[in-house]
Amino acid sequence: MELTSLRAVGIVEKDQDNGLMWTWTYPSLTQDEKQYALSKCCLSWNEKPDASKIIPFVFCHYMKQWYYIFTAAPSEPTPLKSVAYFSIVLVASDFNPEKYAVLTRIMSKFYEESGNPVRILEQYLMIVTKGLCHSNSNGVFKVQSFSQEKAYTAASLKDVINVFEIQSIILYTAILLKKKVLVYHNKLELLLEITRALPAFVWHRQDWNCLYPWVQDREQELTALLKLPHFIVGTTEEDLLKQEDYDICVNVLAKTITVSPHAKESLTMGKLHKDIAKKMLEICENESASNKQLIMGIDEKTTELLNKLRSLGSETDAGKTIIKPEDVKSKNFHTTTTGFLINLAISEHLLEFD
């Protein structure tokens, strides 16, 4: 990880009189960024702090930046006498919830014990310049201890497939073809775990920036989101399922996956899908198989599929494979297979039109 992945740190406080205030930021955040972070901070959800509704750690994605928010109540003894709850907000360019969960907790303890943002600033600058900082237990937090691969495989794709079973192939296909995917669950912490697992369906891309694990029905967010060509979005607001801006809607509670009318043709299943679905279910039925083994098993089938696709095209002098629609149509595949392969070539940036 680059030492410069961190972009900013901030503190939000709620006092004993229920006043909410953004008290400190370094180096800076725009008003739009602060408004977004506040909307994700559980201290802004209710006028009066309610311990049962405090979610200690959340993460979300907005305008190419990741927001990590840790919320706690100061415990005695503390200089924060008038503070009922406070949140540490970290903004970074990389996806790694486990790393930032630890770091926000470290910073929160320094702030709770000192009541001084300078202690947070010291840790922030050490991370940016040295890739490490000291924890309150006299240990050392090291950025290099948190690998990107672990962040990508931490959530269980196996659990997702066990929920949707054979329907999981629709979800796989939609993500492979870079469709607009909406996922609903009414419990935020479960939603975050489910959505963060989904990009692993297309492991070869190693792309978690298509993920927006928690989106609310707010104009600020939806306007930015709907400009994107594809995404995986999570929401706790069931009303968003009724909108027609998505290709598939995944209702985790109902265990259903609904394909929008405009996307049905491109998401029609064929023999290629059957083979991949069979592989998924076989691995999931093996109780000893790990989540990583499942991901690698799906990736193996995806690689076979992509190799078959590339074999239909021709290689340029620069060594890049180019596929034309005629290359696929000339093979006389079933109509469903032909359409799927052409759409896949588009998604993989392999298709070239005359």
Side-chain angles (χ1 to χ4, degrees):
M1 187 201 101
E2 298 178 13
L3 299 185
T4 54
S5 290
L6 275 177
R7 294 290 179 257
V9 59
I11 302 172
V12 177
E13 293 180 349
K14 194 150 199 176
D15 62 29
Q16 300 291 351
D17 296 323
N18 300 325
L20 184 67
M21 183 179 296
W22 191 290
T23 57
W24 180 80
T25 312
Y26 180 84
S28 67
L29 287 171
T30 66
Q31 193 60 35
D32 179 59
E33 290 167 335
K34 286 183 178 180
Q35 286 177 354
Y36 174 79
L38 281 174
S39 74
K40 301 303 180 186
C41 177
C42 56
L43 299 182
S44 69
W45 302 345
N46 302 285
E47 183 179 336
K48 186 175 181 179
D50 182 347
S52 67
K53 295 182 179 178
I54 295 297
I55 299 178
F57 181 74
V58 299
F59 54 91
C60 41
H61 187 197
Y62 176 66
M63 300 296 284
K64 300 182 179 180
Q65 295 190 122
W66 287 93
Y67 291 71
Y68 301 93
I69 304 172
F70 176 76
T71 301
S75 55
E76 296 293 342
T78 176
L80 301 172
K81 298 299 182 183
S82 63
V83 177
Y85 292 90
F86 69 94
S87 296
I88 303 296
V89 179
L90 281 178
V91 182
S93 61
D94 63 322
F95 173 80
N96 201 314
E98 285 68 35
K99 176 175 65 179
Y100 291 111
V102 173
L103 185 54
T104 50
R105 281 172 173 81
I106 289 173
M107 289 182 169
S108 73
K109 291 302 293 182
F110 275 112
Y111 187 57
E112 183 181 347
E113 292 170 2
S114 68
N116 190 346
V118 171
R119 299 304 310 280
I120 293 180
L121 176 60
E122 291 170 352
Q123 306 309 310
Y124 180 91
L125 292 176
M126 286 187 68
I127 289 290
V128 170
T129 58
K130 299 180 180 180
L132 57 84
C133 72
H134 300 290
S135 73
N136 308 71
S137 59
N138 297 319
V140 177
F141 169 91
K142 295 182 179 180
V143 166
Q144 65 183 21
S145 300
F146 298 86
S147 75
Q148 199 66 71
E149 182 174 303
K150 285 183 180 178
Y152 288 167
T153 58
S156 178
L157 189 61
K158 196 172 183 181
D159 287 349
V160 174
I161 294 174
N162 282 333
V163 168
F164 294 102
E165 298 179 328
I166 195 66
Q167 287 187 96
S168 300
I169 191 61
I170 302 173
L171 193 47
Y172 164 85
T173 305
I175 296 171
L176 184 66
L177 296 183
K178 294 183 176 179
K179 298 296 185 179
K180 296 182 177 182
V181 177
L182 180 73
V183 181
Y184 164 75
H185 197 295
N186 64 349
K187 296 189 182 301
L188 177 56
E189 289 166 298
L190 290 175
L191 176 73
L192 294 176
E193 282 300 295
I194 292 163
T195 53
R196 69 174 291 189
L198 299 182
F201 268 125
V202 287
W203 183 255
H204 67 289
R205 291 183 188 147
Q206 299 278 295
D207 178 21
W208 263 251
N209 283 326
C210 68
L211 172 65
Y212 295 79
W214 175 29
V215 168
Q216 295 164 289
D217 191 2
R218 299 174 62 252
E219 185 177 355
Q220 178 190 23
E221 283 186 85
L222 295 179
T223 298
L225 180 73
L226 295 176
K227 291 178 182 178
L228 301 174
H230 67 99
F231 48 67
I232 301 168
V233 163
T235 186
T236 58
E237 299 174 46
E238 194 169 7
D239 285 348
L240 287 184
L241 292 174
K242 300 173 184 177
Q243 297 190 13
E244 298 179 355
D245 299 312
Y246 315 101
D247 296 310
I248 71 167
C249 291
V250 181
N251 188 325
V252 182
L253 292 176
K255 299 183 180 181
T256 60
I257 297 176
T258 304
V259 180
S260 297
H262 66 264
K264 282 188 175 179
E265 184 177 352
S266 59
L267 292 176
T268 301
M269 301 296 109
K271 184 179 184 303
L272 291 176
H273 302 86
K274 182 179 178 181
D275 293 341
I276 297 170
K278 182 180 177 182
K279 180 73 171 182
M280 283 185 197
L281 296 179
E282 280 178 357
I283 299 174
C284 281
E285 287 168 2
N286 181 358
E287 293 183 3
S288 64
S290 67
N291 186 55
K292 181 67 180 293
Q293 287 174 317
L294 170 64
I295 293 170
M296 293 301 102
I298 295 172
D299 185 56
E300 181 182 330
K301 296 300 291 184
T302 303
T303 299
E304 290 175 8
L305 177 60
L306 293 176
N307 288 339
K308 179 175 182 177
L309 177 65
R310 291 189 180 95
S311 72
L312 303 177
S314 56
E315 195 170 290
T316 66
D317 293 338
K320 180 183 177 182
T321 300
I322 293 296
I323 299 169
K324 297 180 179 180
E326 294 74 21
D327 296 331
V328 182
K329 293 175 181 177
S330 66
K331 301 300 180 182
N332 295 318
F333 295 127
H334 188 278
T335 304
T336 298
T337 301
T338 299
F340 169 67
L341 290 174
I342 290 175
N343 285 324
L344 180 57
I346 294 171
S347 298
E348 294 293 318
H349 305 291
L350 297 174
L351 198 71
E352 182 179 88
F353 293 92
D354 291 328

